Amino acid sequence: MTTETRDILQSAADWQADGRKVALATVVSTWGSAPRPAGSQLAIAENGDFVGSVSGGCVEGAVVAEALEIMRHGKPKQMDFGVSNDEAWEVGLACGGKISVFVERLD
Amino acid sequence: MKTDLLKQLLADRSAQRTVVLATHLATGDQRLIHPGDGDPLADDATLAIQSDKPRTVETADGDVFLNVFNPPLRMIIVGAVHIAQALAPMAAMTGYDVTIVDPRQAWATPERFPEIRILDAWPDEALAALKPDHRTAIVTLTHDPKLDDPALQAALSSDAFYIGSLGSRGTHAKRIQRLESAGFDAERHCRINGPVGLNIGAKSPAEIAVSIMGQVTAALRGLAA
């Protein structure tokens, strides 16, 4: 575990303590040349602040948008990104890898 | 994730306890797995902890993602010597929390080791306090049996993933003899990398530090070197 991971979860806890809604995104699997390994995390606050990363910047926008939805309804979701995915045209991975990201609300 | 679970996870981390977060991917149900707590997925959790890599396990109820939160990597360097001045910052840059142990106060000074934690204690006392675990590398650099030997005995009694000891083949052979007299048989003392470091023809203190750092990395990543 990296020092970065510590800061991400601590940020999530701090944001929540400040009364903000928070979501966490975690890379749960990768195929091929993925930019960040499984376990990498991104914490998102309701105003759109985020720390950490789940890719080299390729899919963070889509993950943050989904995280804002999940903060509202509370149902966790697994999001897949990659070249074989329709979404790849919009938010694909330039490296040709595939990643699966689990997004959940901090309750 | 439930707030209480996140709080427990953060508490485990600050106490440097190894913990695995298990997430049922379809439902989002989560629990923490600690080593030895008898969780049904304990074996998979152990594999994840040892490799320091998360894994997804197929269960009858669906896929469960195991994310590993290992304590930070640590390096304990015994001997505030010239090589330590190169090895300490190199290890810090590689992600290790570094502690230098040397009771000789003329050596272990903040001027010689800026930004590095220094313990001016005897190695056996220092190691008893630092409690090396499976995420700790221990390197002795003093050549002095009075300092190296107690450190090595404590290291061999720990779960440290790497133990290295500076010294020529001759010095190392004598060291092994002393350890055997102290009751550490070959099965135990074979964990010591001596002469220390990868054989890259290192000459200068910085080059020797590189060879040690390479060997520590190979041990961490599970390569024999």
Side-chain angles (χ1 to χ4, degrees):
Chain A
M1 184 184 58
T2 63
T3 314
E4 192 199 26
T5 311
R6 308 183 155 255
D7 299 339
I8 294 163
L9 287 179
Q10 190 61 56
S11 299
D14 292 346
W15 286 338
Q16 199 195 30
D18 289 344
R20 291 154 86 176
K21 285 185 184 154
V22 182
L24 273 175
T26 307
V27 178
V28 294
S29 51
T30 65
W31 299 264
S33 86
R36 297 297 318 272
S40 302
Q41 291 189 307
L42 177 71
I44 306 108
E46 60 185 317
N47 64 343
D49 283 351
F50 61 90
V51 291
S53 68
V54 291
S55 73
C58 321
V59 306
E60 271 76 2
V63 170
V64 169
E66 189 67 42
L68 295 174
E69 284 299 302
I70 287 167
M71 279 177 215
R72 229 172 18 81
H73 59 67
K75 194 174 175 315
K77 182 175 178 180
Q78 195 170 347
M79 303 175 75
D80 296 325
F81 299 98
V83 286
S84 62
N85 190 304
D86 283 346
E87 284 178 276
W89 293 105
E90 295 159 31
V91 288
L93 295 168
C95 53
K98 289 202 281 182
I99 61 172
S100 183
V101 180
F102 180 78
V103 191
E104 62 188 312
R105 182 171 76 180
L106 195 54
D107 287 319
Chain B
M1 185 186 294
K2 303 271 184 243
T3 306
D4 287 351
L5 193 118
L6 176 60
K7 281 186 179 154
Q8 180 62 48
L9 181 55
L10 291 170
D12 284 334
R13 278 190 344 187
S14 60
Q16 308 212 333
R17 279 190 294 267
T18 294
V19 61
V20 171
L21 171 65
T23 303
H24 191 280
L25 290 174
T27 63
D29 290 346
Q30 288 172 320
R31 66 178 187 275
L32 295 176
I33 304 175
H34 296 90
D37 66 5
D39 191 277
L41 294 179
D43 289 349
D44 290 288
T46 300
L47 286 174
I49 290 165
Q50 283 170 351
S51 62
D52 195 34
K53 272 192 195 146
R55 57 201 291 124
T56 300
V57 186
E58 289 176 24
T59 72
D61 297 329
D63 285 356
V64 177
F65 177 65
L66 302 179
N67 205 0
V68 190
F69 295 86
N70 264 317
L73 290 166
R74 289 189 288 161
M75 181 181 284
I76 301 169
I77 302 173
V78 177
V81 298
H82 201 173
I83 294 170
Q85 287 179 278
L87 181 58
M90 210 177 276
M93 188 182 287
T94 313
Y96 290 75
D97 184 26
V98 181
T99 304
I100 304 247
V101 175
D102 201 320
R104 303 168 299 180
Q105 290 175 6
W107 297 73
T109 66
E111 290 73 30
R112 284 164 53 82
F113 295 94
E115 318 249 319
I116 300 287
R117 186 184 316 110
I118 299 170
L119 278 184
D120 58 352
W122 285 88
D124 46 350
E125 294 165 8
L127 266 74
L130 292 168
K131 297 187 178 61
D133 59 19
H134 69 289
R135 300 274 291 166
T136 309
I138 301 169
V139 185
T140 72
L141 298 176
T142 73
H143 293 107
D144 182 343
K146 283 200 303 299
L147 295 170
D148 282 356
D149 286 14
L152 289 172
Q153 292 188 15
L156 288 172
S157 306
S158 78
D159 288 337
F161 73 88
Y162 177 89
I163 305 171
S165 192
L166 185 74
S168 66
R169 280 177 208 289
T171 305
H172 191 63
K174 285 185 204 142
R175 178 181 291 144
I176 291 300
Q177 278 177 4
R178 290 193 304 273
L179 284 169
E180 288 189 343
S181 320
F184 291 87
D185 58 15
E187 206 170 301
R188 295 179 74 187
H189 68 60
C190 69
R191 285 171 65 201
I192 302 174
N193 291 278
V196 74
L198 300 177
N199 185 5
I200 55 171
K203 292 275 183 250
S204 71
E207 288 173 353
I208 293 167
V210 168
S211 82
I212 295 171
M213 208 59 239
Q215 195 170 46
V216 170
T217 304
L220 175 70
R221 299 302 174 193
L223 292 182

